[in-house]
Amino acid sequence: MRADRAMPSFAIAPVDRSLAAALQAKIDGKTKPPGALGRLERLAMQIGLIQGTLSPRLTAPHVLLFAGDHGAVAEGISAYPQDVTWQMVLNFLNGGAAINVFARQNGLAVKIVDAGVAHEFDPHPALVPGKIAPGTRNYLREPAMTEEQRDRALAAGAALVDECAAAGTNVIACGEMGIGNTASASLLVNRVLGLELTDCVGRGTGLDDRGLERKLAVLQRASSRRPEPLAPLEVLAEFGGFEIAMMTGAFLGAAQARMVVLVDGFIATAAFAVAAALHPDVRDYAVFAHVSAE
């Protein structure tokens, strides 16, 4: 994956709903009470509409796990030190994390993407080198990334999805790793979705009450550095992470390729919020995988 591409433009169409009635009839025609399978039936409808077929199939599914570090960790916004990011990346590469277990059980390929970890890794078959920089800058004092870095990250995420699509993948799950990235995600959700910052800030990986209070105070100060309304891409550059920006590009690229897109957790949802603000039709392709504490 090349990390030096300019930001691509995306052509994302809403799903064609002309098959909805036929899909519903096929679902209802199964030997079961109507609606008995609950959310599975809604997923079957969504996947059928995404793929434009009455016989949808999920092929060569991939988990893309984007990793990056955050300069704002220096402000004490996390319960863990920055080194945990690269240590967890090694855990992923060695197959020891929960996502590795889920992937093995369900036949999913896993790729770990170094979007901007403050560490140099040895080559590994499952590691995709795409480091924009060894971590973002401290958004309390300056933009987390330049516009050029942001656009490179968006392009790199989209390019990685293109590579998967060329190999036959039609379902992508995106996840992340980065100490401090729940704080970055809180700022993105606050500014992109217009929610109160106090409603967007949680304990992350386990902050106590005092740590949570400090995290909120730091984020309030960071947001006040740019109090004026900002466009979604401006918010991403000011407060985002390289792993978040790459996920945003991956979501946009996957929707353009008419893939089913699994959005896993709060940080991924923040990246998706940016993608949806840029191209609202990306929402047709999203399946939200879990509800985290935030």
Side-chain angles (χ1 to χ4, degrees), residues 59-107:
T59 59
H62 270 71
V63 176
L64 304 181
L65 199 158
F66 299 90
D69 278 309
H70 293 253
V73 167
E75 304 296 333
I77 56 174
S78 175
Y80 292 93
Q82 190 175 76
D83 281 350
V84 173
T85 301
W86 68 261
Q87 291 167 1
M88 277 301 301
V89 168
L90 294 182
N91 192 24
F92 296 136
L93 294 174
N94 291 329
I99 186 57
N100 300 108
V101 178
F102 292 147
R104 285 194 294 269
Q105 290 296 316
N106 293 282

Short mmCIF file of all heavy atoms in Angstrom, two decimals, residues 59-107:
data_model
loop_
_atom_site.label_atom_id
_atom_site.label_comp_id
_atom_site.label_asym_id
_atom_site.label_seq_id
_atom_site.Cartn_x
_atom_site.Cartn_y
_atom_site.Cartn_z
N THR A 59 -17.84 -12.83 0.39
CA THR A 59 -16.67 -13.52 -0.14
C THR A 59 -15.38 -12.84 0.34
O THR A 59 -15.29 -11.62 0.41
CB THR A 59 -16.68 -13.55 -1.67
OG1 THR A 59 -16.70 -12.21 -2.19
CG2 THR A 59 -17.91 -14.28 -2.19
N ALA A 60 -14.39 -13.68 0.65
CA ALA A 60 -13.06 -13.23 1.05
C ALA A 60 -13.09 -12.07 2.04
O ALA A 60 -12.45 -11.04 1.84
CB ALA A 60 -12.25 -12.84 -0.19
N PRO A 61 -13.83 -12.21 3.15
CA PRO A 61 -13.93 -11.10 4.10
C PRO A 61 -12.59 -10.75 4.73
O PRO A 61 -11.78 -11.63 5.01
CB PRO A 61 -14.92 -11.62 5.15
CG PRO A 61 -14.81 -13.11 5.06
CD PRO A 61 -14.54 -13.41 3.62
N HIS A 62 -12.37 -9.47 4.93
CA HIS A 62 -11.13 -8.97 5.51
C HIS A 62 -11.41 -8.07 6.70
O HIS A 62 -12.35 -7.27 6.68
CB HIS A 62 -10.32 -8.16 4.48
CG HIS A 62 -9.38 -8.99 3.68
ND1 HIS A 62 -9.80 -9.89 2.73
CD2 HIS A 62 -8.02 -9.07 3.69
CE1 HIS A 62 -8.73 -10.46 2.18
NE2 HIS A 62 -7.65 -9.99 2.74
N VAL A 63 -10.57 -8.20 7.72
CA VAL A 63 -10.53 -7.26 8.83
C VAL A 63 -9.32 -6.36 8.62
O VAL A 63 -8.19 -6.86 8.49
CB VAL A 63 -10.41 -7.98 10.19
CG1 VAL A 63 -10.28 -6.95 11.32
CG2 VAL A 63 -11.60 -8.88 10.43
N LEU A 64 -9.55 -5.07 8.56
CA LEU A 64 -8.47 -4.09 8.44
C LEU A 64 -8.36 -3.37 9.77
O LEU A 64 -9.29 -2.69 10.20
CB LEU A 64 -8.77 -3.09 7.32
CG LEU A 64 -9.03 -3.68 5.93
CD1 LEU A 64 -9.29 -2.56 4.94
CD2 LEU A 64 -7.86 -4.54 5.48
N LEU A 65 -7.22 -3.52 10.42
CA LEU A 65 -7.01 -2.94 11.74
C LEU A 65 -5.93 -1.87 11.61
O LEU A 65 -4.77 -2.16 11.36
CB LEU A 65 -6.59 -4.02 12.73
CG LEU A 65 -6.76 -3.71 14.21
CD1 LEU A 65 -6.84 -4.99 15.01
CD2 LEU A 65 -5.63 -2.85 14.73
N PHE A 66 -6.35 -0.61 11.77
CA PHE A 66 -5.47 0.52 11.57
C PHE A 66 -4.89 0.97 12.91
O PHE A 66 -5.63 1.16 13.89
CB PHE A 66 -6.23 1.68 10.93
CG PHE A 66 -6.79 1.35 9.57
CD1 PHE A 66 -8.06 0.80 9.45
CD2 PHE A 66 -6.05 1.57 8.43
CE1 PHE A 66 -8.59 0.49 8.19
CE2 PHE A 66 -6.56 1.26 7.17
CZ PHE A 66 -7.83 0.71 7.05
N ALA A 67 -3.58 1.18 12.96
CA ALA A 67 -2.92 1.55 14.21
C ALA A 67 -2.18 2.88 14.05
O ALA A 67 -1.54 3.12 13.02
CB ALA A 67 -1.93 0.46 14.64
N GLY A 68 -2.27 3.72 15.08
CA GLY A 68 -1.57 5.00 15.04
C GLY A 68 -1.46 5.60 16.43
O GLY A 68 -2.26 5.30 17.32
N ASP A 69 -0.47 6.43 16.62
CA ASP A 69 -0.26 7.10 17.90
C ASP A 69 -0.70 8.57 17.84
O ASP A 69 -0.85 9.14 16.75
CB ASP A 69 1.21 7.01 18.32
CG ASP A 69 1.53 5.68 18.99
OD1 ASP A 69 0.79 5.31 19.91
OD2 ASP A 69 2.51 5.02 18.58
N HIS A 70 -0.89 9.13 19.04
CA HIS A 70 -1.47 10.47 19.17
C HIS A 70 -0.60 11.34 20.06
O HIS A 70 -0.29 10.97 21.21
CB HIS A 70 -2.88 10.37 19.76
CG HIS A 70 -3.86 9.69 18.85
ND1 HIS A 70 -4.84 10.39 18.17
CD2 HIS A 70 -3.98 8.40 18.48
CE1 HIS A 70 -5.52 9.53 17.43
NE2 HIS A 70 -5.02 8.32 17.60
N GLY A 71 -0.22 12.51 19.55
CA GLY A 71 0.63 13.41 20.31
C GLY A 71 0.00 13.91 21.59
O GLY A 71 0.70 14.22 22.57
N ALA A 72 -1.33 13.95 21.64
CA ALA A 72 -2.02 14.47 22.82
C ALA A 72 -1.91 13.53 24.02
O ALA A 72 -2.29 13.92 25.13
CB ALA A 72 -3.49 14.75 22.51
N VAL A 73 -1.41 12.33 23.82
CA VAL A 73 -1.21 11.42 24.96
C VAL A 73 -0.30 12.06 26.01
O VAL A 73 -0.41 11.76 27.20
CB VAL A 73 -0.64 10.07 24.46
CG1 VAL A 73 -0.12 9.22 25.61
CG2 VAL A 73 -1.73 9.31 23.71
N ALA A 74 0.56 12.96 25.59
CA ALA A 74 1.44 13.66 26.52
C ALA A 74 0.67 14.46 27.56
O ALA A 74 1.23 14.83 28.61
CB ALA A 74 2.38 14.59 25.76
N GLU A 75 -0.61 14.72 27.30
CA GLU A 75 -1.43 15.51 28.23
C GLU A 75 -2.12 14.66 29.29
O GLU A 75 -2.93 15.16 30.07
CB GLU A 75 -2.49 16.30 27.45
CG GLU A 75 -1.92 17.20 26.37
CD GLU A 75 -1.05 18.31 26.92
OE1 GLU A 75 -1.28 18.72 28.08
OE2 GLU A 75 -0.16 18.78 26.19
N GLY A 76 -1.84 13.35 29.31
CA GLY A 76 -2.42 12.48 30.32
C GLY A 76 -3.87 12.11 30.08
O GLY A 76 -4.65 11.96 31.03
N ILE A 77 -4.25 11.91 28.82
CA ILE A 77 -5.64 11.61 28.50
C ILE A 77 -5.93 10.11 28.48
O ILE A 77 -7.07 9.70 28.26
CB ILE A 77 -6.02 12.20 27.12
CG1 ILE A 77 -5.06 11.67 26.03
CG2 ILE A 77 -6.01 13.72 27.17
CD1 ILE A 77 -5.45 12.08 24.63
N SER A 78 -4.93 9.28 28.70
CA SER A 78 -5.12 7.83 28.65
C SER A 78 -4.60 7.19 29.92
O SER A 78 -3.68 7.69 30.57
CB SER A 78 -4.38 7.23 27.44
OG SER A 78 -4.46 5.82 27.45
N ALA A 79 -5.18 6.04 30.26
CA ALA A 79 -4.72 5.28 31.43
C ALA A 79 -3.44 4.51 31.13
O ALA A 79 -2.81 3.98 32.05
CB ALA A 79 -5.82 4.31 31.88
N TYR A 80 -3.05 4.45 29.85
CA TYR A 80 -1.89 3.65 29.46
C TYR A 80 -0.88 4.50 28.71
O TYR A 80 -1.25 5.48 28.04
CB TYR A 80 -2.33 2.47 28.58
CG TYR A 80 -3.12 1.44 29.33
CD1 TYR A 80 -4.51 1.51 29.36
CD2 TYR A 80 -2.50 0.41 30.03
CE1 TYR A 80 -5.26 0.56 30.06
CE2 TYR A 80 -3.22 -0.53 30.72
CZ TYR A 80 -4.61 -0.45 30.74
OH TYR A 80 -5.34 -1.38 31.43
N PRO A 81 0.40 4.14 28.76
CA PRO A 81 1.42 4.89 28.01
C PRO A 81 1.37 4.57 26.52
O PRO A 81 0.82 3.55 26.09
CB PRO A 81 2.73 4.39 28.63
CG PRO A 81 2.42 3.00 29.11
CD PRO A 81 0.99 3.06 29.58
N GLN A 82 1.98 5.45 25.75
CA GLN A 82 1.94 5.32 24.30
C GLN A 82 2.55 4.01 23.80
O GLN A 82 2.12 3.47 22.77
CB GLN A 82 2.64 6.51 23.67
CG GLN A 82 2.47 6.62 22.17
CD GLN A 82 3.09 7.89 21.62
OE1 GLN A 82 4.30 7.99 21.49
NE2 GLN A 82 2.27 8.88 21.33
N ASP A 83 3.53 3.48 24.51
CA ASP A 83 4.19 2.26 24.06
C ASP A 83 3.22 1.09 23.91
O ASP A 83 3.53 0.12 23.18
CB ASP A 83 5.29 1.85 25.04
CG ASP A 83 6.57 2.66 24.87
OD1 ASP A 83 6.67 3.40 23.87
OD2 ASP A 83 7.46 2.55 25.72
N VAL A 84 2.08 1.16 24.55
CA VAL A 84 1.12 0.06 24.46
C VAL A 84 0.61 -0.10 23.02
O VAL A 84 0.26 -1.20 22.60
CB VAL A 84 -0.04 0.26 25.45
CG1 VAL A 84 -1.15 -0.77 25.24
CG2 VAL A 84 0.48 0.18 26.89
N THR A 85 0.60 0.99 22.26
CA THR A 85 0.15 0.88 20.87
C THR A 85 0.99 -0.13 20.10
O THR A 85 0.46 -1.09 19.50
CB THR A 85 0.19 2.24 20.16
OG1 THR A 85 -0.64 3.17 20.85
CG2 THR A 85 -0.32 2.11 18.72
N TRP A 86 2.31 0.07 20.09
CA TRP A 86 3.13 -0.85 19.30
C TRP A 86 3.17 -2.24 19.92
O TRP A 86 3.27 -3.25 19.20
CB TRP A 86 4.53 -0.29 19.07
CG TRP A 86 5.46 -0.15 20.24
CD1 TRP A 86 5.71 0.98 20.96
CD2 TRP A 86 6.28 -1.17 20.81
NE1 TRP A 86 6.64 0.73 21.94
CE2 TRP A 86 7.01 -0.58 21.88
CE3 TRP A 86 6.49 -2.53 20.53
CZ2 TRP A 86 7.91 -1.30 22.66
CZ3 TRP A 86 7.39 -3.25 21.31
CH2 TRP A 86 8.09 -2.64 22.36
N GLN A 87 3.07 -2.31 21.25
CA GLN A 87 3.04 -3.63 21.89
C GLN A 87 1.79 -4.41 21.48
O GLN A 87 1.84 -5.62 21.24
CB GLN A 87 3.11 -3.47 23.41
CG GLN A 87 4.46 -2.96 23.89
CD GLN A 87 4.44 -2.49 25.34
OE1 GLN A 87 3.41 -2.55 26.01
NE2 GLN A 87 5.58 -2.02 25.82
N MET A 88 0.67 -3.70 21.39
CA MET A 88 -0.56 -4.36 20.95
C MET A 88 -0.50 -4.75 19.48
O MET A 88 -1.04 -5.79 19.08
CB MET A 88 -1.76 -3.47 21.21
CG MET A 88 -2.30 -3.55 22.63
SD MET A 88 -2.82 -5.24 23.10
CE MET A 88 -4.08 -5.57 21.87
N VAL A 89 0.16 -3.93 18.67
CA VAL A 89 0.33 -4.31 17.25
C VAL A 89 1.09 -5.64 17.17
O VAL A 89 0.71 -6.53 16.39
CB VAL A 89 1.06 -3.20 16.47
CG1 VAL A 89 1.48 -3.71 15.09
CG2 VAL A 89 0.15 -1.98 16.32
N LEU A 90 2.13 -5.80 17.96
CA LEU A 90 2.86 -7.08 17.97
C LEU A 90 1.95 -8.21 18.43
O LEU A 90 2.04 -9.34 17.90
CB LEU A 90 4.09 -6.97 18.87
CG LEU A 90 5.20 -6.02 18.42
CD1 LEU A 90 6.37 -6.08 19.40
CD2 LEU A 90 5.68 -6.36 17.01
N ASN A 91 1.08 -7.93 19.39
CA ASN A 91 0.12 -8.94 19.84
C ASN A 91 -0.81 -9.35 18.71
O ASN A 91 -1.08 -10.55 18.50
CB ASN A 91 -0.67 -8.40 21.03
CG ASN A 91 -1.48 -9.48 21.74
OD1 ASN A 91 -1.15 -10.67 21.68
ND2 ASN A 91 -2.53 -9.08 22.41
N PHE A 92 -1.30 -8.38 17.95
CA PHE A 92 -2.14 -8.69 16.79
C PHE A 92 -1.37 -9.56 15.79
O PHE A 92 -1.90 -10.55 15.26
CB PHE A 92 -2.59 -7.41 16.09
CG PHE A 92 -3.46 -6.51 16.91
CD1 PHE A 92 -3.23 -5.15 16.92
CD2 PHE A 92 -4.52 -7.01 17.64
CE1 PHE A 92 -4.03 -4.29 17.66
CE2 PHE A 92 -5.33 -6.17 18.39
CZ PHE A 92 -5.08 -4.81 18.41
N LEU A 93 -0.13 -9.17 15.52
CA LEU A 93 0.67 -9.90 14.53
C LEU A 93 0.97 -11.33 14.99
O LEU A 93 1.09 -12.24 14.16
CB LEU A 93 1.97 -9.15 14.27
CG LEU A 93 1.84 -7.78 13.59
CD1 LEU A 93 3.19 -7.09 13.52
CD2 LEU A 93 1.24 -7.93 12.19
N ASN A 94 1.05 -11.52 16.30
CA ASN A 94 1.31 -12.86 16.85
C ASN A 94 0.03 -13.66 17.07
O ASN A 94 0.09 -14.80 17.55
CB ASN A 94 2.07 -12.74 18.18
CG ASN A 94 3.50 -12.25 17.98
OD1 ASN A 94 4.12 -12.52 16.95
ND2 ASN A 94 4.02 -11.51 18.96
N GLY A 95 -1.12 -13.06 16.75
CA GLY A 95 -2.38 -13.80 16.83
C GLY A 95 -2.96 -13.91 18.21
O GLY A 95 -3.80 -14.77 18.46
N GLY A 96 -2.57 -13.00 19.13
CA GLY A 96 -2.97 -13.16 20.51
C GLY A 96 -4.09 -12.27 21.00
O GLY A 96 -4.43 -12.32 22.18
N ALA A 97 -4.70 -11.47 20.14
CA ALA A 97 -5.75 -10.55 20.57
C ALA A 97 -7.13 -11.12 20.29
O ALA A 97 -7.30 -12.09 19.54
CB ALA A 97 -5.59 -9.20 19.87
N ALA A 98 -8.14 -10.50 20.88
CA ALA A 98 -9.51 -10.99 20.70
C ALA A 98 -9.92 -11.01 19.23
O ALA A 98 -10.58 -11.95 18.77
CB ALA A 98 -10.47 -10.11 21.50
N ILE A 99 -9.51 -9.97 18.47
CA ILE A 99 -9.89 -9.95 17.05
C ILE A 99 -9.29 -11.13 16.30
O ILE A 99 -9.89 -11.66 15.37
CB ILE A 99 -9.49 -8.61 16.39
CG1 ILE A 99 -10.03 -8.53 14.97
CG2 ILE A 99 -7.99 -8.40 16.43
CD1 ILE A 99 -11.52 -8.69 14.84
N ASN A 100 -8.10 -11.56 16.70
CA ASN A 100 -7.50 -12.74 16.06
C ASN A 100 -8.34 -13.98 16.30
O ASN A 100 -8.52 -14.82 15.39
CB ASN A 100 -6.08 -12.97 16.58
CG ASN A 100 -5.15 -11.80 16.34
OD1 ASN A 100 -4.80 -11.10 17.27
ND2 ASN A 100 -4.75 -11.58 15.10
N VAL A 101 -8.86 -14.11 17.51
CA VAL A 101 -9.71 -15.26 17.83
C VAL A 101 -11.00 -15.21 17.02
O VAL A 101 -11.41 -16.21 16.40
CB VAL A 101 -10.03 -15.29 19.34
CG1 VAL A 101 -10.96 -16.47 19.66
CG2 VAL A 101 -8.76 -15.40 20.16
N PHE A 102 -11.65 -14.04 16.98
CA PHE A 102 -12.88 -13.91 16.19
C PHE A 102 -12.59 -14.24 14.72
O PHE A 102 -13.39 -14.93 14.06
CB PHE A 102 -13.42 -12.48 16.28
CG PHE A 102 -13.94 -12.10 17.63
CD1 PHE A 102 -13.83 -10.80 18.09
CD2 PHE A 102 -14.57 -13.02 18.45
CE1 PHE A 102 -14.31 -10.43 19.34
CE2 PHE A 102 -15.05 -12.68 19.69
CZ PHE A 102 -14.93 -11.37 20.13
N ALA A 103 -11.48 -13.75 14.21
CA ALA A 103 -11.16 -13.96 12.81
C ALA A 103 -10.90 -15.44 12.51
O ALA A 103 -11.37 -15.97 11.50
CB ALA A 103 -9.94 -13.12 12.42
N ARG A 104 -10.17 -16.11 13.39
CA ARG A 104 -9.92 -17.54 13.17
C ARG A 104 -11.22 -18.33 13.20
O ARG A 104 -11.41 -19.25 12.40
CB ARG A 104 -8.95 -18.06 14.23
CG ARG A 104 -7.51 -17.66 14.03
CD ARG A 104 -6.55 -18.47 14.90
NE ARG A 104 -6.73 -18.22 16.32
CZ ARG A 104 -6.07 -17.29 17.01
NH1 ARG A 104 -5.20 -16.50 16.40
NH2 ARG A 104 -6.26 -17.14 18.31
N GLN A 105 -12.11 -17.99 14.12
CA GLN A 105 -13.36 -18.73 14.24
C GLN A 105 -14.26 -18.53 13.03
O GLN A 105 -15.07 -19.40 12.71
CB GLN A 105 -14.11 -18.30 15.51
CG GLN A 105 -13.46 -18.74 16.80
CD GLN A 105 -13.43 -20.25 16.95
OE1 GLN A 105 -14.41 -20.93 16.68
NE2 GLN A 105 -12.29 -20.80 17.34
N ASN A 106 -14.14 -17.40 12.35
CA ASN A 106 -15.07 -17.06 11.27
C ASN A 106 -14.42 -17.00 9.89
O ASN A 106 -15.06 -16.59 8.93
CB ASN A 106 -15.75 -15.73 11.58
CG ASN A 106 -16.67 -15.84 12.78
OD1 ASN A 106 -17.79 -16.35 12.67
ND2 ASN A 106 -16.22 -15.38 13.94
N GLY A 107 -13.16 -17.41 9.80
CA GLY A 107 -12.50 -17.47 8.50
C GLY A 107 -12.24 -16.11 7.88
O GLY A 107 -12.38 -15.94 6.66
#
